[in-house]
Amino acid sequence: MKFNKKIKIVIAADGGAGSGKTTGSKLIAKKFGLKLLTSGLLYRYCAYKLLTNNKIKNKKLFLRKIARRITIKKLKNKNLYTANVTEHTSKMAKIKYIRDLLKNFQKKFARQKKCIIEGRDIQTKILPGKKSDLK
């Protein structure tokens, strides 16, 4: 089933760890032809890039550069699921500076006509329900 081209639909799949957000989002995205962003992959990607570039002088500047260059294609890297990346991802997700950098990518992604964003605090932080927030 596909939506009319003129319809704008943005779905926020929000919930706690292990609640089925990713599984449900993948099923919905596939059934309705929506683009999917799993927000946890953004943090995994940042952790991966920091771990693979260990000679960084200014981590904040490096992270800002990474956040601006993220693409959905880059988030499909299988190396994002290693144990080392997973360990660092949870630490990075707690840092407000990194969350703010990645929030911009998520809001930009939400400007698409047909998409679903999955992750924690998506409804309250990224898609709070006001149209003006997506402009």
Side-chain angles (χ1 to χ4, degrees):
M1 177 177 174
K2 300 286 181 184
F3 289 104
N4 182 318
K5 290 182 180 182
K6 294 179 182 179
I7 294 175
K8 179 173 180 162
I9 183 165
V10 179
I11 298 172
D14 198 330
S19 62
K21 297 179 302 289
T22 304
T23 302
S25 296
K26 285 179 181 179
L27 292 169
I28 292 168
K30 186 175 181 180
K31 177 154 179 93
F32 296 105
L34 304 173
K35 292 186 180 181
L36 173 64
L37 173 63
T38 300
S39 66
L41 289 178
L42 297 170
Y43 296 97
R44 285 181 174 277
Y45 183 74
C46 287
Y48 169 72
K49 293 301 278 184
L50 281 173
L51 290 168
T52 56
N53 295 283
N54 55 5
K55 294 182 180 180
I56 303 162
K57 293 180 182 176
N58 186 333
K59 289 185 181 183
K60 280 191 172 186
L61 186 63
F62 184 71
L63 284 167
R64 193 171 28 210
K65 184 178 174 182
I66 290 170
R68 277 190 256 129
R69 294 184 177 175
I70 293 175
T71 64
I72 296 300
K73 186 176 179 178
K74 289 178 181 178
L75 297 177
K76 294 182 182 181
N77 185 338
K78 292 183 182 192
N79 293 321
L80 301 181
Y81 295 96
T82 65
N84 198 20
V85 170
T86 299
E87 180 183 333
H88 284 81
T89 298
S90 61
K91 294 173 187 173
M92 293 186 73
K94 295 176 184 175
I95 300 169
K96 184 176 180 344
Y97 177 77
I98 296 171
R99 287 195 316 268
D100 289 343
L101 284 174
L102 298 177
K103 187 187 302 185
N104 292 330
F105 180 86
Q106 293 171 77
K107 285 189 174 196
K108 184 178 176 183
F109 184 86
R111 289 185 199 126
Q112 297 180 60
K113 289 194 178 229
K114 295 168 184 59
C115 67
I116 182 167
I117 302 177
E118 173 272 317
R120 295 185 196 174
D121 297 328
I122 295 299
Q123 184 63 40
T124 57
K125 306 284 186 200
I126 307 303
L127 302 171
K130 295 180 185 176
K131 275 190 168 182
S132 61
D133 289 334
L134 301 178
K135 290 181 181 176

